[in-house]
Amino acid sequence: MRALDFDQVKLGQGMLKDKLDEMAAFYRGLSNDDILHYMRLDAGLPAPGQAWTGWYAHSRGMGTLGQWVSAYARLYALTGNEQDKAKAIDLIDTFWLCHDHLEGTPKALLGCRSHYAFEKLVQAHCDLQVYAQVPTRDRVVRLVRFARETLDRTRAFGDNSTEWYTMPEALFNASRIFDLPEAAEEAETWLYRDYWALFAEGRDPFARKPEAGLYSDFCHAYSHVNAFNSCAAAYRHSRDPVLLKALKAFYRFMIDTQVMATGGYGPEFEHLMPKDRIVNALRTSHDSFETQCDSYAAFRLCRHLTEIDGEAEYSDWVESLIYNAVLATIPMTPEGKVIYYSDYNMYGASKVNRQDNWTCCTGTRPLLVLDMVRQLYYQDDSGLAICQFAPSEASWTQSGQTARIRQETNFPLDDTMKFQLTLSSPDRFTLYFRRPAWLAGPMGLHVNGQIADAFEVRGYLALTRRWQDGDCIELTVPQKLWMHALDKEKNGPNAFLHGPVVLGATYTGPQTPNDHMNVRRLPERMRPVPGQKLHYTVDGCDQLTFKPFYAYQEHERYFVYHDTTAHATIRFP
């Protein structure tokens, strides 16, 4: 399968588009003079613009530049706004001007430990070529030569101070896009075979401790998910079955042992840890999930896997992250403050932007929000897969003709979606509709008002027929209130969801809800609030209400997880 790209999908009015519009307005409002200030200053060039503080001053702008160039190129592909393209070109041209002024000096923009910035720059040049039609091959050749001649090749296991093991994905992309064998050769240098082997061989994933980096107890979550994005890229380049085995085993490890109700993972300084450590982290810390970066890494992992084997289940994780991570973030501030960590502490939490300005997450945020567009639809020779339910329009080539589909829905507030096809001539193909893991009952499928004869395959409800222009499809995906257990063996800690949407608890009583009631029996006492979809009251407890986690605003206190595995729980029947 292949994901429909930015120029093939348009979001309709709804929550996803609102978040996309908010993000685009913010990043379009950033001045290139501000973005480039430190680079120009160090290069001895006129340097108008503000001197941003926080992480930006330390990195001289290199911590986010590549990601922002990618974001503006992708925005251009999505919207056709020429200002986005012009902004991306100006940023990359000025980077190279400053780079050439500073190369070989103590203030060089790229040095021997610039693996992180290098990887983002390579991908930025790929995106400029693909999405903005800007010729960048010669510059990629220079970047590959730089990596070969300058980057530190120590490659210590788990070294998240460089994240060297994330580099192959972008290098393999460059090799494919520019027909550049030396990029693939360089990618081979950075393959993380020691880590991948833990999963390919079914060994203990915690058997090896990081040998270098910022933290050393366990492997860094974000960069090690990205390491498997590089594993996926290496598999797609080589078709080595050992890499595919490792990739699928890692995905199963994440879903079964790491991923929380929201789709988030990596608490307590961003670690992949045993389940008991994760549960304890939800008791003792407030850094539950590096929201922007981790979500984007998971999005890419799920897209790789879907394109490799076409299974629908990967889009379940994506859906969780869309509603409980991307849409649950609060707006950035003009000073560059962003939600870095989501907080799921079981003794009360709230949403706050990190006090440090211009962290790495400000680089990832636009790419994450944009990537929702590439998660909605996939195609193969047999037809089109609808993997997310959101107001949108998509176009793809089917049997040599351009086909279009429009999706109208108020999901997840409602259970139904309506689709309409536009075809220049009748054609036989298959439409695949993802069957979510949270389904409360059989999906319903009607075509032009008649029950459709559908079949199940690879996690989809599929319908093959000779389609006509104007055909209308109605899909029903029954949702229900349900309880999630983080540790299934202990049936807790617990969170509550409606379909894919995590429900936060607003509690005005003393201590926590878990201290005063049997939380596991709450679903039978929860009642929908009339006129407020996905909002619930609790019979006999005026101090406790529930609403979507995405609806909580800055500093508003909530409970996502309830500590039902604590000893106090046994007091209640």
Side-chain angles (χ1 to χ4, degrees), residues 399-542:
S399 304
Q401 69 164 314
T402 298
R404 292 184 173 83
I405 192 167
R406 185 175 74 250
Q407 180 179 175
E408 297 178 352
T409 182
N410 197 30
F411 180 86
L413 303 181
D414 293 324
D415 293 352
T416 59
M417 303 90 206
K418 294 183 178 179
F419 303 86
Q420 184 170 23
L421 288 167
T422 300
L423 304 171
S424 57
S425 61
D427 193 14
R428 183 177 178 83
F429 57 87
T430 303
L431 291 178
Y432 301 89
F433 302 91
R434 177 176 60 92
R435 298 185 70 255
W438 44 258
L439 274 176
M443 292 170 67
L445 188 60
H446 293 73
V447 177
N448 300 329
Q450 302 297 313
I451 296 176
D453 185 17
F455 60 96
E456 295 181 11
V457 58
R458 301 197 313 275
Y460 300 96
L461 186 66
L463 181 57
T464 303
R465 59 180 282 159
R466 185 173 175 81
W467 297 97
Q468 307 282 339
D469 181 50
D471 276 346
C472 294
I473 306 106
E474 184 170 312
L475 179 72
T476 304
V477 287
Q479 301 176 79
K480 67 177 179 181
L481 179 69
W482 60 285
M483 185 175 71
H484 153 94
L486 180 58
D487 187 333
K488 291 180 174 55
E489 291 184 4
K490 297 181 178 179
N491 193 28
N494 299 106
F496 300 96
L497 298 90
H498 177 102
V501 177
V502 169
L503 301 175
T506 299
Y507 179 64
T508 58
Q511 300 172 295
T512 76
N514 190 65
D515 289 303
H516 297 278
M517 65 192 74
N518 187 339
V519 169
R520 291 191 182 121
R521 299 194 63 178
L522 279 177
E524 61 196 59
R525 299 169 56 191
M526 293 169 67
R527 301 290 179 262
V529 176
Q532 291 184 281
K533 294 183 177 181
L534 276 59
H535 287 60
Y536 292 86
T537 56
V538 177
D539 285 350
C541 185
D542 294 338

Side-chain angles (χ1 to χ4, degrees), residues 249-517:
F250 178 75
Y251 169 81
R252 186 49 51 198
F253 159 77
M254 290 297 297
I255 296 300
D256 291 347
T257 74
Q258 302 297 303
V259 173
M260 295 175 275
T262 60
Y265 59 94
E268 196 176 85
F269 294 111
E270 307 157 30
H271 284 135
L272 299 177
M273 304 185 294
K275 185 76 76 177
D276 62 326
R277 289 288 299 265
I278 296 173
V279 172
N280 193 56
L282 297 183
R283 295 186 178 116
T284 61
S285 65
H286 292 268
D287 53 348
S288 307
F289 171 40
E290 189 186 4
T291 310
Q292 321 283 344
C293 295
D294 285 359
S295 296
Y296 184 51
F299 273 15
R300 300 202 327 276
L301 183 70
C302 292
R303 186 168 58 253
H304 277 302
L305 284 162
T306 305
E307 291 187 332
I308 288 169
D309 72 11
E311 295 289 335
E313 69 167 297
Y314 311 120
S315 293
D316 285 339
W317 189 7
V318 170
E319 182 181 58
S320 293
L321 290 166
I322 287 175
Y323 289 104
N324 307 307
V326 186
L327 300 184
T329 59
I330 56 179
M332 284 182 62
T333 71
E335 301 81 24
K337 300 184 191 303
V338 69
I339 275 196
Y340 195 101
Y341 294 120
S342 290
D343 186 354
Y344 310 143
N345 188 284
M346 293 189 283
Y347 297 93
S350 62
K351 297 177 183 179
V352 293
N353 285 325
R354 183 161 174 151
Q355 290 307 298
D356 299 311
N357 297 345
W358 306 111
T359 62
C360 59
C361 291
T362 65
T364 310
R365 182 174 175 81
L367 298 179
L368 168 65
V369 176
L370 279 162
D371 211 64
M372 292 190 296
V373 173
R374 291 198 295 183
Q375 301 292 342
L376 270 62
Y377 300 94
Y378 289 79
Q379 71 169 114
D380 63 12
D381 291 341
S382 68
L384 183 75
I386 294 91
C387 290
Q388 302 298 334
F389 308 123
S392 54
E393 295 184 10
S395 63
W396 77 104
T397 300
Q398 187 71 47
S399 304
Q401 69 164 314
T402 298
R404 292 184 173 83
I405 192 167
R406 185 175 74 250
Q407 180 179 175
E408 297 178 352
T409 182
N410 197 30
F411 180 86
L413 303 181
D414 293 324
D415 293 352
T416 59
M417 303 90 206
K418 294 183 178 179
F419 303 86
Q420 184 170 23
L421 288 167
T422 300
L423 304 171
S424 57
S425 61
D427 193 14
R428 183 177 178 83
F429 57 87
T430 303
L431 291 178
Y432 301 89
F433 302 91
R434 177 176 60 92
R435 298 185 70 255
W438 44 258
L439 274 176
M443 292 170 67
L445 188 60
H446 293 73
V447 177
N448 300 329
Q450 302 297 313
I451 296 176
D453 185 17
F455 60 96
E456 295 181 11
V457 58
R458 301 197 313 275
Y460 300 96
L461 186 66
L463 181 57
T464 303
R465 59 180 282 159
R466 185 173 175 81
W467 297 97
Q468 307 282 339
D469 181 50
D471 276 346
C472 294
I473 306 106
E474 184 170 312
L475 179 72
T476 304
V477 287
Q479 301 176 79
K480 67 177 179 181
L481 179 69
W482 60 285
M483 185 175 71
H484 153 94
L486 180 58
D487 187 333
K488 291 180 174 55
E489 291 184 4
K490 297 181 178 179
N491 193 28
N494 299 106
F496 300 96
L497 298 90
H498 177 102
V501 177
V502 169
L503 301 175
T506 299
Y507 179 64
T508 58
Q511 300 172 295
T512 76
N514 190 65
D515 289 303
H516 297 278
M517 65 192 74

Side-chain angles (χ1 to χ4, degrees), residues 123 130 169-180 183-184 237:
Q123 188 58 52
V130 172
E169 183 185 24
L171 285 164
F172 280 126
N173 287 344
S175 175
R176 171 177 49 82
I177 291 165
F178 299 105
D179 189 21
L180 202 62
H237 177 77

Side-chain angles (χ1 to χ4, degrees), residues 43-69:
L45 301 172
Q50 299 182 67
W52 285 346
T53 57
W55 290 26
Y56 209 84
H58 176 72
S59 75
R60 315 309 278 176
M62 290 301 297
T64 58
L65 180 78
Q67 293 160 294
W68 288 353
V69 170

Side-chain angles (χ1 to χ4, degrees), residues 10-87:
K10 298 290 182 265
L11 293 179
Q13 197 57 53
M15 289 189 289
L16 276 68
K17 187 174 186 300
D18 289 345
K19 184 61 68 175
L20 177 66
D21 289 347
E22 171 199 299
M23 178 280 297
F26 180 90
Y27 282 90
R28 283 170 172 161
L30 297 182
S31 163
N32 277 18
D33 285 339
D34 294 347
I35 295 171
L36 297 165
H37 173 80
Y38 287 112
M39 294 182 198
R40 287 169 167 162
L41 186 68
D42 289 349
L45 301 172
Q50 299 182 67
W52 285 346
T53 57
W55 290 26
Y56 209 84
H58 176 72
S59 75
R60 315 309 278 176
M62 290 301 297
T64 58
L65 180 78
Q67 293 160 294
W68 288 353
V69 170
S70 284
Y72 292 124
R74 295 176 187 187
L75 262 176
Y76 171 69
L78 179 66
T79 67
N81 186 326
E82 291 289 341
Q83 292 181 349
D84 296 329
K85 178 177 179 177
K87 197 170 183 66

